[in-house]
């Protein structure tokens, strides 16, 4: 999501973290860890690693 103020994205909150992730070749795709995905066909996703919007 581009908020107009910064970036909130899987693997990074803020412009610097986001830029480091995409230019460093480190994908944010991984096994789902926020809930049990066993009932779904896919078990991978990109999760945002923050708990509160105030960190954005």
């Amino acid at each position: 999501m581009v908020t107009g103020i910064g970036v909130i994205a899987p693997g990074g909150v803020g412009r610097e973290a986001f830029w480091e992730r995409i230019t460093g070749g480190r994908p944010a795709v991984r096994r789902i860890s926020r809930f049990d995905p066993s009932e779904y066909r896919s078990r991978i996703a990109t999760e945002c690693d923050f708990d509160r919007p105030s960190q954005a």
Side-chain angles (χ1 to χ4, degrees), residues 38-51:
S38 60
E39 66 183 82
Y40 300 100
R41 287 180 16 180
S42 178
R43 308 239 184 341
I44 60 170
T46 55
E47 298 178 302
C48 292
D49 295 325
F50 58 90
D51 293 322

